[in-house]
Amino acid sequence: MYKSVRSCASLLTRRTPLLCARSGRTSASNLAPLCSLNNHVRHSSHSPMGTPPANPRKKVTIQTLRSLHRRQEPIAVMTAHDFPSALVADEAGMDMILVGDSLAMVALGMEDTSEVLVEEMLLHCRSVARATKAAFTVGDLPMGSYEISPEQALSTAIRFVKEGRVQSVKLEGGKEMAPTIQKITTAGIPVLGHVGLTPQRQNALGGFRVQGKTRDGALRILEDALAVQQAGCYAMVLEAVPEDVAALITSKLSIPTIGIGAGKGCSGQVLVQTDMLGNFPPGRFLPKFVKQYGNVWGEAYRALEAYRTEVKSGAYPSPEHTYPAPKEEVEAFAKAIEDL
């Protein structure tokens, strides 16, 4: 506090010599009230949300994630799709924040993830990146942006880092995507893999079905997991895989697995933030693996309903929510417009 007041005093001394000359004093204590007023009084309709946290965390890096994995400390991952959702996830202590293509449904109202475009993903990535100060950020490459060739995938990944401002990218697929993963990681861009249920390929999989329920199915997932590990992924998502199978696959890997519907035997967990917060209308389908930790929809509905009621009744805005003007100025204004 003292340093900030002294800085403010120095700035005001340079910028307001007349004030200093009249007062005869330029001490920090003399200017502290003015500094406080300068810093805290706002008459704008908007103010930035991204104020620095009181106790900032150390930045999470790939080395941090590897250290968590070595210590067998579960890695906490959460999706975010805009500045507010990323800000709260980061301040809540998430290790990783994923800008998942699930935003197609939860943020853009699309039917499934196949609709979302690279440009749309980049916009959301930039918004999330502005809010995230500590967590390791991941951008999800959308369907059609990486499957054609490793060169196409690398080009898209570069855009996600340069334009989206994320620190790594995620892509779906197993051994068939190994050359693509290797191409991206060789260029210096970290890749989060994704095996098991791969939603972008739901039509080929016959819908959103649990994967690896048979011996042969589980072996295929392990083969995919080993292939993407060998290709250079620093971690991988295991989605919709039986808990025991996911635990066995995790035990055969040297990199972390992030489970979603794959049980606690994985190295970490991820959920879609909108789902776990309960920010959706009643009756919406939720997968079995989702635990709802809040009821954001209910609280938002209550607040919005109360606002509408007070507007209709005239209870809002009350005097404490309005800006005053000197009575004589208002009277002069009223007189000036009498003949208009």
Side-chain angles (χ1 to χ4, degrees), residues 151-307:
E151 290 72 25
Q152 181 210 26
L154 176 57
S155 177
T156 305
I158 289 171
R159 291 192 66 190
F160 268 66
V161 173
K162 288 180 66 66
E163 299 176 40
R165 307 307 299 151
V166 293
Q167 294 159 291
S168 68
V169 297
K170 181 176 83 66
L171 59 80
E172 297 182 7
K175 58 185 179 181
E176 77 286 354
M177 297 308 300
T180 295
I181 293 168
Q182 187 171 20
K183 183 78 171 180
I184 298 172
T185 57
T186 300
I189 298 174
V191 176
L192 176 66
H194 187 151
V195 300
L197 173 61
T198 47
Q200 292 177 5
R201 306 179 185 196
Q202 58 165 312
N203 294 324
L205 297 173
F208 297 99
R209 298 177 180 274
V210 177
Q211 304 294 304
K213 296 177 72 172
T214 66
R215 170 188 174 277
D216 289 346
L219 283 171
R220 282 194 294 272
I221 296 174
L222 176 58
E223 186 178 0
D224 284 337
L226 290 169
V228 300
Q229 174 181 270
Q230 180 65 30
C233 284
Y234 66 89
M236 73 185 72
V237 171
L238 272 181
E239 180 167 358
V241 176
E243 181 173 32
D244 293 341
V245 173
L248 287 168
I249 291 172
T250 299
S251 71
K252 296 298 181 181
L253 300 173
S254 60
I255 62 174
T257 57
I258 308 299
I260 179 166
K264 63 175 62 179
C266 294
S267 313
Q269 301 294 326
V270 61
L271 283 176
V272 174
Q273 188 175 154
T274 301
D275 294 347
M276 59 83 64
L277 288 181
N279 193 8
F280 50 82
R284 176 174 176 258
F285 170 77
L286 277 183
K288 179 183 179 181
F289 58 79
V290 175
K291 179 177 179 179
Q292 188 176 325
Y293 287 81
N295 183 18
V296 171
W297 175 277
E299 178 60 19
Y301 188 93
R302 182 205 62 76
L304 290 164
E305 191 174 44
Y307 165 76

Side-chain angles (χ1 to χ4, degrees), residues 26-42:
T26 60
S27 67
S29 59
N30 184 46
L31 291 173
L34 186 56
C35 292
S36 177
L37 181 68
N38 187 54
N39 287 335
H40 297 294
V41 174
R42 297 183 64 91

Side-chain angles (χ1 to χ4, degrees), residues 4 6 15-16 29 67 77 103 119 143 157 182 191 208 243 251 260 262 268 297 302 334 336 340:
S4 63
R6 289 196 63 178
R15 294 193 175 181
T16 56
S29 59
S67 177
V77 188
L103 69 83
E119 287 71 21
M143 181 181 182
Q182 187 171 20
V191 176
F208 297 99
E243 181 173 32
S251 71
I260 179 166
W297 175 277
R302 182 205 62 76
L340 294 181

